[in-house]
Amino acid sequence: MKQSQTPIVGLFATCLVDLYRPTVGFATAALLERAGCSVEVPPRQVCCGQPAYNSGNRETAEEIARQTIALFEPVDYVVVPSGSCAGMLKCHYPDLLAGDEAWADRAARFAEKCWELTSFLVDVRSWTPDGVSWQGTAAYHDSCSSLRECDVSDQPRALLANVQGTDVRKLDSADVCCGFGGTFCVKYPEVSVAMVDRKVDDIAATGADTVLAGDLGCLMNISGRLSRRGLDIRARHVAEVLAGMADGPAIGYGPGRPRSGDS
């Protein structure tokens, strides 16, 4: 595809962002525009298909993959504020449709233009958040899919290093799963809770007031456990901080359930 001078980016918003944290979607769109892109959000987009895929429902996953590919084919890039969903689009769609002569090449071309948000900002656009400030101490959690399927680790930290007032502290076992794992936490709740408890212990040990990540699933899981253990540590998506949109309630906390320091 011949790209326009101003790249057209299709924002794949993800189900969790759409249903639970729209601010992340608005922050992502703002960041992409600041990075010199034209942003389109196809209204007919749905789930990436990962829940069906992980549950062995290959037929449904393939159907979703075909619909998503067709929907985003006109754009230059597809950017996702979630390593988990980006990994599904980039790594698993080609495998899902490899045996379909009508879709195999289309899936491969589609995968090549799919990017996790922070990787796109750094590796494709060489963008930095000039003039953005956020006063806080943060521990950064690497989601499994971001790290292992999208090669994302240094990129969010490089971006945060340019945010004024932000102190990112080293998190032990930052690359260890938080226990969410999509359907894993439903199938194996006891194991999942043990894993997120270890993650919460490591976060608390940093002394940070906020945990940041690029996957809303991880953040919701971690935030829920922090709340149940009575720990006053907030959870936010990295896009909210980078876009200067982190002044509202933290994930899981609103007017009826405030946490100190929240609006």
Side-chain angles (χ1 to χ4, degrees):
M1 177 187 299
K2 184 178 180 180
Q3 294 181 9
S4 57
Q5 186 172 3
T6 299
I8 301 173
V9 173
L11 170 54
F12 188 88
T14 83
C15 299
L16 291 181
V17 168
D18 182 41
L19 295 172
Y20 296 104
R21 195 71 171 179
T23 307
V24 175
F26 295 131
T28 299
L31 289 170
L32 293 172
E33 288 177 347
R34 293 174 198 175
C37 303
S38 174
V39 181
E40 294 186 1
V41 187
R44 292 181 55 245
Q45 63 181 284
V46 295
C47 173
C48 68
Q50 187 174 179
Y53 179 70
N54 289 344
S55 299
N57 188 349
R58 187 181 182 96
E59 182 178 352
T60 297
E62 290 180 2
E63 181 180 353
I64 292 172
R66 294 185 186 97
Q67 177 177 323
T68 303
I69 291 168
L71 195 62
F72 283 89
E73 275 183 323
V75 303
D76 298 322
Y77 297 98
V78 180
V79 174
V80 193
S82 163
S84 178
C85 297
M88 183 67 189
L89 305 184
K90 192 175 186 68
C91 300
H92 299 295
Y93 276 17
D95 288 340
L96 270 173
L97 302 176
D100 188 330
E101 291 185 4
W103 285 89
D105 288 343
R106 293 173 72 178
R109 290 193 298 270
F110 172 80
E112 290 176 356
K113 64 181 184 181
C114 291
W115 293 83
E116 183 274 342
L117 172 62
T118 62
S119 179
F120 179 77
L121 293 174
V122 172
D123 300 328
V124 178
R125 300 302 293 170
S126 300
W127 180 83
T128 55
D130 296 332
V132 177
S133 64
W134 179 73
Q135 302 298 320
T137 56
Y140 195 89
H141 162 71
D142 296 294
S143 81
C144 297
S145 295
S146 289
L147 190 65
R148 295 169 178 84
E149 294 183 337
C150 301
D151 296 320
V152 174
S153 177
D154 295 339
Q155 297 95 324
R157 292 170 173 85
L159 291 168
L160 289 168
N162 287 280
V163 177
Q164 300 171 19
T166 302
D167 175 18
V168 180
R169 299 183 178 179
K170 185 179 185 303
L171 174 63
D172 289 340
S173 302
D175 59 345
V176 174
C177 180
C178 72
F180 178 64
T183 57
F184 175 86
C185 64
V186 178
K187 294 178 179 178
Y188 307 102
E190 295 86 0
V191 178
S192 177
V193 169
M195 294 172 72
V196 73
D197 269 332
R198 293 175 186 172
K199 178 63 63 174
V200 165
D201 287 341
D202 288 342
I203 293 168
T206 68
D209 56 42
T210 304
V211 56
L212 299 176
D215 271 80
L216 191 52
C218 298
L219 288 165
M220 290 172 65
N221 187 43
I222 293 169
S223 176
R225 198 60 186 162
L226 287 167
S227 176
R228 286 172 176 81
R229 289 182 49 176
L231 295 172
D232 189 17
I233 302 172
R234 294 176 288 283
R236 296 188 183 277
H237 194 286
V238 65
E240 297 173 311
V241 171
L242 295 175
M245 298 171 65
D247 53 352
I251 292 170
Y253 289 81
R257 193 179 177 193
R259 185 180 282 177
S260 64
D262 286 344
S263 300

